[in-house]
Amino acid sequence: MRQFPRLAFAACTALAVAACGAVPEGRGSGPRSAGAVSAIPVNPEARQCLAELGGAGVRFNAVADRYDGGGCGLRNAVSVAALQGDTASFEVARLGPVACPTAQAFAAWARFGVDRAARQLLGSPVVRVETMGSYACRNVAGSARRSAHANAEAIDIAAFVLADGRRVSVLDHWDGGTMREREFLRTVQASACKRFGTVLGPDYNAAHRDHFHLERGGSTGFCR
C-alpha cells in the first residue's frame, strides 16, 4: 500500500476524528442541561484546529463537547497524549481535556520554548511534561469570576523530566535549583509569555509557587 507522508497522514487522521460524530439522536439545538454531551464539533474552525494539531505531530484524541452548567464545559477540546520535539516526541502527564487552540499554543511552546531550552541550557532533551491539569469547573481564586480552567482554556505546568533522569520542578528549582535550572525555568516562562495571553508563576503569588499557569486568553497580555 502506498504510504502517505507523515504530516499529511496526521492531518487527515485529525480531520477524520473531528468529522466522525453525527449529532446524537434526540439532541437538538435548543438549551442544554448540565451534563449534556453533544457530538464532536465539525465546524470549519474546529476541524482546522484539529488538522493543524495533527500536522504538528501531536498525539491526541478529540473530546466530545459537554456543558456542565454554571459557565463550565468543554467545546472543541482534545486529550493530548504526546507532543513533538525537534528530534523526538515526549509525554504529557495528567493534562486531561484542553481546548484545541490552547493545545496548539501548548504544543508550540513545548517544542520551541521548552525542549530547545532544555537541550541548550541543561544538555538533555525533555521526555515528559508534568501538568496539574486543565479543565476544572471553578472560579479564579478569591473572586466570583470563572477561571479559564472552567472552559479548559488554561494549563498548569508543574515540572519537566529530562532524558538524563533529572526532574526540574517549579516548586523545587525556581529558587532552590542550580543556576542552570533556575535559568531554564525562567527561560521557559518567558517563552510562554510570547504564546499565551496570561502566564503566572512563583513571582506572582504563593498560590503559584509550584506551577506555571498558562492561559491562552487575554488581549493585552499579563506575564508575572
Side-chain angles (χ1 to χ4, degrees):
M1 180 183 293
R2 183 180 177 184
Q3 298 294 317
F4 286 88
R6 180 180 177 184
L7 293 183
F9 177 78
C12 290
T13 299
L15 284 169
V17 171
C20 69
V23 176
E25 184 177 353
R27 299 211 186 276
S29 58
R32 295 175 295 168
S33 60
V37 178
S38 65
I40 294 171
V42 294
N43 67 72
E45 289 185 4
R47 293 174 62 186
Q48 180 67 23
C49 184
L50 294 174
E52 291 176 357
L53 201 61
V58 178
R59 283 174 30 213
F60 69 93
N61 289 313
V63 176
D65 287 0
R66 188 174 84 218
Y67 176 64
D68 291 333
C72 299
L74 302 174
R75 181 177 180 275
N76 187 21
V78 295
S79 176
V80 176
L83 302 172
Q84 182 62 45
D86 281 340
T87 59
S89 63
F90 45 90
E91 300 175 10
V92 179
R94 300 186 294 275
L95 179 57
V98 59
C100 184
T102 304
Q104 280 186 296
F106 177 46
W109 170 70
R111 177 173 184 174
F112 301 114
V114 177
D115 189 43
R116 290 184 180 180
R119 286 185 281 113
Q120 293 170 5
L121 297 173
L122 302 176
S124 181
V126 172
V127 294
R128 184 168 68 252
V129 176
E130 296 182 358
T131 84
M132 293 180 172
S134 175
Y135 179 62
C137 186
R138 61 178 175 82
N139 292 345
V140 174
S143 80
R145 180 170 59 89
R146 279 301 190 201
S147 166
H149 286 290
N151 292 293
E153 294 177 346
I155 300 172
D156 289 340
I157 306 293
F160 309 91
V161 178
L162 308 182
D164 63 11
R166 280 179 291 174
R167 179 179 182 272
V168 182
S169 73
V170 178
L171 178 63
D172 295 330
H173 300 95
W174 181 261
D175 290 320
T178 66
M179 181 181 70
R180 284 291 191 179
E181 289 166 344
R182 295 194 301 271
E183 182 182 3
F184 166 73
L185 290 174
R186 284 160 176 79
T187 297
V188 299
Q189 184 190 30
S191 177
C193 293
K194 299 176 182 178
R195 298 181 182 276
F196 293 88
T198 299
V199 177
L200 307 177
D203 286 344
Y204 180 60
N205 61 19
H208 294 82
R209 67 188 182 281
D210 59 354
H211 70 278
F212 295 135
H213 170 89
L214 312 181
E215 181 179 331
R216 184 172 173 271
S219 58
T220 58
F222 186 83
C223 180
R224 180 76 179 275

